[in-house]
Structure formats: C-alpha cells, structure tokens
Amino acid sequence: MLIMNPAKSIWLVQASVVALLVVTGGASAGTLDHIEQEKAIRIAYREDAPPFSYKDKIGEPAGFMVDLCRAVAKKLAEQRSLPALSVAYVPVTARDRFEAITQQKADLLCEPTSATLSRREVVDFSLPTFLDGASLMVRADGPKDLRELAGKQIGVLAGTTTEESLRNSLKDTGINGEIVAVKTHGEGLAMLDDGKISAYFGDRSILLFLVKDSKAPEKLRLADDYLSVEPYALALPRGDSDFRLAVDRALSHIYRSGEIGPIFERTFGGKAKPSQILQSLYLISGLPD
C-alpha cells in the first residue's frame, strides 16, 4: 500500500481545487458579483419597440421596460449597499435579443419579452412586468376583423411570439391570409399607411403607441379582437438563482411601494391608468419579503 505524506495530500487537494476553478472559469462568480465589481449593470434594449423599449428623439434609450429596469438597478444598488449603479445600454433586435443574455453581453433584457416555456430552456424570467394581448391595426375603410382578412396581406414583426400567434390564429380559423414579416414596427406601419398590407398585427399597447406616428392616424383603428395573451417579464441568465431573486425582490418592492404608477404614467400619459387585470398583476406579484 502506498502511504502518502499528509502535507503532500493537502497540497494535492488544494491544487485540484485551483485547477477545477480554472477549468470552470470561476463558475461561482455570478451576475451579482460582476455587477458589484463593475458597479454597473448592462441593460439590453430594443430601439424599435415603443412604448416599451425604444430610442427617443435625442437618441436616448426610453420606454416602460427601460424605465422599469432603471428602477430595478436602483433597488439592486440598495440591496448590495452600493452608492449607485451606472447603466450600460446594449442595443439588440428582435432576432438577437436572447443572445445578448446567453452570450453574457447583457445582464437584463428590458423590452417587451413574452415569457414562454420554450424560452425558459434558454433564459430565466423575472416576475411578470406587464400583460398585453395581440390584435390588429387596420385602415378605417378596411377589414373589421380577422375573418375579413382572408386572401389579404397581414404584416407582423418577424421572429416574435406575435408572428407565431398570428400563424396559429390563421391556421385554427382556416383563414388563408398572406403573412408579411417585417423587420421593424415602423416598417409595418408605413406599409399599412401606403396600403401595401391590409392589417398590421401586434400587441395592443404597441399598436396604440404606433398610431401617433402614422401619416394619417385618423384613418387607422384597432380591431376588437384579442387574439393572444402576452405575459411580459425581464429575461436574465439561466441558472443564476441569486440574481433572479434579487431582481424579483426589486420588482416586488417597486410594485408594493406604488413606484410602478409613475413609471406607467411616464410612458402612457397622466390620463392613462393600468387596466384592472394589470393592477391585479402588480398586486399579486408584489411578494412579501
């Protein structure tokens, strides 16, 4: 039997631990550690998803989700006893937004992201942040509902759950409409204004916000149909439970304290009020400590 010197055994164990940490890249260091070391949080946002995430007239990130993430950053700083956190903005598109999280380019995805089970295979999600539903924006003299769009062209933002919902709705109802996938909401609105499509499909809050940018907003209206329910949440790195808990704690405090009210008003205007279902969402999601 080989008898090993105890001191040498301890040295080998320590060396093995160091080697393991090197191989795993120091896996124990999570998002919160990175944020605390850098005294900064990286927020991914979309430039083309008003009123939730967009670039304003002076080129600054703006919108409901962006403002909400700024409030979360403030709460995180308080949790970690930091004087403040600077915010670094990472622009993303509808197509590459999740890569910003999975490739560690950003810490939080702050845009109208619908939480789905399939997406939870890639990223984790915070508590719900908004509840919306998809509908149609049409010309006043055009089709009044989905059934009247048979044989017509319908625009939708490419690579989104909204596009998937539209395809499923057409399939389920047996309507043979032609889907036109666009790169931005602005492109879809312009096509509707110019009569190149008969309707544009999107979340109602986004459509309401888009109308003001129309060449002739008085000629557009929203259909009555709610064709999907879209529960929004903030996407964050999968498997980082400490960071997710910290973000959820921040959101809970924002909801319980009533801070969510001014954030909502800045985006939708002083006369706009959260719907009953949205108020219930914030009441339920304001978890106790």
Side-chain angles (χ1 to χ4, degrees), residues 64-86:
F64 180 83
M65 293 300 175
V66 174
D67 284 348
L68 183 58
C69 281
R70 289 184 182 127
V72 167
K74 183 178 179 180
K75 295 293 184 185
L76 291 178
E78 294 173 0
Q79 290 179 29
R80 307 295 283 187
S81 299
L82 298 173
L85 284 178
S86 62

Side-chain angles (χ1 to χ4, degrees), residues 194-217:
D194 295 339
K196 295 180 180 178
I197 56 177
S198 298
Y200 187 68
F201 188 74
D203 293 347
R204 290 182 71 88
S205 297
I206 293 176
L207 296 179
L208 282 170
F209 196 82
L210 277 176
V211 169
K212 66 180 181 59
D213 294 327
S214 169
K215 296 176 183 177

Side-chain angles (χ1 to χ4, degrees), residues 9 19 70 86 99 120 128 139 169 191 259 265 271 287:
S9 298
R70 289 184 182 127
S86 62
E99 293 176 9
R120 282 172 58 183
R139 297 173 65 89
S169 295
M191 292 181 71
E259 293 175 61
E265 291 175 4
K271 295 183 179 180
L287 303 179

